[in-house]
Amino acid sequence: MKTLSRCLLVVMSIWLTACQQAPVAGNNGDLYQALGERSGIADVVQDLLYRIVDDERINHQFKGVNVADFHRHLTDQLCQISGGPCRYTGRDMRELHEAMDITDTQFNALVENLVLAMEANGIATTAQNRLLGRLVPLYPDVRNL
């Protein structure tokens, strides 16, 4: 129930702040530290990948994805967004998700799995919420709104 409440809070935040721009990398490096730096973020992403595979709500969206590339790009992206020294060099979010027709339910399932992965890796709730807050501006591109 706690996770569901958190997911609903994230969704409400998304709707309220969808027009914000993504934060500039290098700001608030303390979030990067709180996430365990690049290795901690990589661990969260690895855990997330296992959860995606096991989640019937969303695993079909990831069929055929190069897992190593996905892991590297998502790790770099979360590292950059959290204020770390990494640089995301993957595809544009809107272009990447354009043909996927992601529903709010699928989006929320991924957020739920990310929260569970962070919890399983000992990331403090405040750091989780700060990262989720920085991901909110990507929502319109992922959902192609």
Side-chain angles (χ1 to χ4, degrees):
M1 189 66 177
K2 187 178 187 182
T3 301
L4 177 61
S5 297
R6 202 174 307 156
C7 285
L8 291 174
L9 180 60
V10 169
V11 171
M12 289 173 38
S13 296
I14 288 168
W15 286 108
L16 293 173
T17 61
C19 295
Q20 293 179 353
Q21 291 185 356
V24 176
N27 291 348
N28 301 323
D30 58 321
L31 177 56
Y32 174 68
Q33 300 292 326
L35 295 173
E37 300 181 342
R38 185 166 178 37
S39 65
I41 293 168
D43 290 345
V44 168
V45 172
Q46 181 173 330
D47 191 312
L48 174 62
L49 289 171
Y50 285 113
R51 292 172 189 281
I52 289 170
V53 168
D54 291 338
D55 192 331
E56 295 293 326
R57 299 172 296 176
I58 58 175
N59 60 12
H60 64 280
Q61 292 283 17
F62 295 87
K63 294 250 190 266
V65 169
N66 180 311
V67 175
D69 285 347
F70 182 84
H71 183 276
R72 180 174 42 84
H73 286 304
L74 185 56
T75 299
D76 286 344
Q77 186 175 37
L78 295 179
C79 175
Q80 179 178 328
I81 286 171
S82 68
C86 309
R87 185 168 163 258
Y88 173 70
T89 59
R91 292 171 46 197
D92 173 76
M93 288 292 99
R94 182 168 293 279
E95 173 192 331
L96 182 64
H97 296 93
E98 191 169 46
M100 294 177 81
D101 197 28
I102 296 170
T103 66
D104 281 335
T105 300
Q106 292 168 331
F107 182 86
N108 291 341
L110 184 63
V111 171
E112 177 185 333
N113 284 309
L114 176 58
V115 169
L116 291 170
M118 288 190 287
E119 286 177 352
N121 283 275
I123 305 299
T125 303
T126 54
Q128 292 178 35
N129 290 336
R130 289 176 58 209
L131 178 63
L132 293 172
R134 291 184 183 195
L135 292 172
V136 165
L138 299 176
Y139 175 78
D141 291 338
V142 172
R143 283 279 287 122
N144 287 301
L145 299 176

